[in-house]
């Protein structure tokens, strides 16, 4: 009986010992597998971080087991979840810190992700077009209606206008043209060779007038159309040929800081030369575009003006305020540009 008891006790002890041995062996195998997986996953993480160096806008610096990564917001990292490593993440401001621990809680790797917002890079400005000449087109006789202003408003190019005072819509048309962004000057009536036409033109300057009369009429014309910084002559062959009267008028215009465009309605004009002598900013007309009001004829004259501009470098041409002039100029705007000629306001050709 005693021997049986000893046998069973020994058997129980043997089973216990075998169990402990098997448990220890199983534990050693688990540890070995987890350590192997940890090494593999750490290597995969390192490979992923190293690959980030090839991404634009990413900077990677390694110090010991810590990787510091500077990268743009929204950059895809490709950091996959791991089985053997436990990730602990914390965020402070624009920095995210990821701490990786192994299966027994030992710290293995730290990744610091510093996100930044890139400064937008402005695209380079397109190269500035180089022109071979400047063409200024001045449209005279504004004032009979406002509808024609809308036709010119479709051109969307620098065009200048000269408003004739005392017409039914002088101030309204001037305002509309200015609202379109155009430059508008005063088209000052001056005595021409036709006495009958002179007598029908309100506010006209005559050669026999006194200085005070010239000043008064000039001021009245400006008041009718609104403030202006420049003017040219409407008709004017008799008045602009008179050196004394042109000096009187231009000295007064200089006091008002106004420039003068000589419409050159006569080859004997003293306007341009007198303005130069007095130091008044000035220029002159070299071509009229619409002696014929036919659209095709006007287009031919515009082509001629372009050719003249190419030869001389700059040109001022005069047209008039009517429908066909607007139609012709609108259709020729692309041609002028294509020929390397820049359309400019009159102020850009002054001397």
């Amino acid at each position: 009986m005693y021997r049986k008891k000893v046998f069973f006790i020994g058997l129980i002890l043997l089973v216990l010992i075998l169990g402990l041995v098997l448990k220890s062996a199983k534990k050693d195998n688990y540890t070995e597998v987890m350590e192997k997986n940890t090494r593999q996953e750490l290597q995969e993480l390192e490979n992923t971080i190293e690959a980030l160096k090839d991404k634009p806008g990413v900077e990677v610096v390694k110090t010991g087991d810590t990787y510091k990564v500077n990268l743009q917001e929204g950059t895809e990292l490709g950091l996959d979840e791991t089985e053997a490593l436990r990730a602990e993440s914390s965020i402070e401001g624009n920095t995210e810190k990821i701490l990786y621990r192994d299966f027994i809680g030992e710290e293995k790797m730290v990744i610091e992700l510093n996100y930044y917002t890139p400064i937008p890079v402005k695209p380079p400005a397109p190269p500035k077009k180089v022109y071979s000449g400047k063409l200024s087109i001045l449209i005279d006789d504004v004032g009979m209606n406002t509808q024609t202003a809308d036709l010119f408003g479709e051109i969307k190019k620098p065009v200048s206008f000269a408003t004739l005072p005392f017409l039914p819509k002088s101030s309204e048309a001037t305002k509309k043209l200015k609202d379109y962004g155009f430059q508008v000057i005063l088209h000052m009536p001056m005595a021409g060779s036709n006495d009958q036409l002179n007598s029908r033109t309100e506010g006209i300057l005559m050669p026999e007038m006194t200085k005070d009369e010239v000043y008064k009429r000039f001021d009245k014309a400006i008041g009718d159309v609104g403030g202006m910084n420049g003017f040219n002559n409407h008709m004017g062959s008799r008045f602009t040929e008179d050196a004394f009267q042109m000096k009187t008028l231009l000295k007064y215009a200089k006091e008002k800081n106004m420039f003068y465009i000589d419409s050159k309605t006569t080859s004997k004009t003293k306007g341009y030369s007198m303005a130069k002598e007095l130091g008044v900013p000035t220029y002159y007309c070299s071509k009229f575009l619409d002696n014929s009001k036919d659209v095709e004829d006007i287009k031919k004259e515009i082509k001629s003006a372009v050719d003249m501009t190419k030869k001389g470098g700059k040109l001022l041409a005069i047209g008039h305020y009517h429908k066909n002039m607007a139609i012709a100029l609108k259709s020729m705007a692309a041609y002028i540009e294509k020929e390397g000629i820049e359309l400019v306001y009159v102020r850009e050709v002054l001397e």
Side-chain angles (χ1 to χ4, degrees), residues 166-204:
F166 314 116
L167 294 181
K169 298 292 182 179
S170 293
S171 61
E172 293 93 333
T174 296
K175 182 180 183 307
K176 182 166 278 195
L177 289 167
K178 286 183 176 180
D179 288 344
Y180 278 119
F182 296 126
Q183 182 181 21
V184 188
I185 65 174
L186 170 65
H187 194 40
M188 186 66 208
M190 301 184 195
S193 58
N194 188 323
D195 288 331
Q196 189 176 9
L197 188 57
N198 291 339
S199 65
R200 297 202 310 264
T201 304
E202 186 176 352
I204 194 168

Side-chain angles (χ1 to χ4, degrees), residues 59 61 63 92 127 131 135 138 161 193 198 224 239-240 267 278 282 318 326 351:
E59 180 184 17
V61 178
T63 305
E92 185 176 341
Y131 294 96
L135 171 60
L138 179 61
F161 294 82
S193 58
N198 291 339
D224 184 72
F239 194 91
T240 58
S267 60
L278 295 173
T282 187
I318 287 180
E351 298 175 343

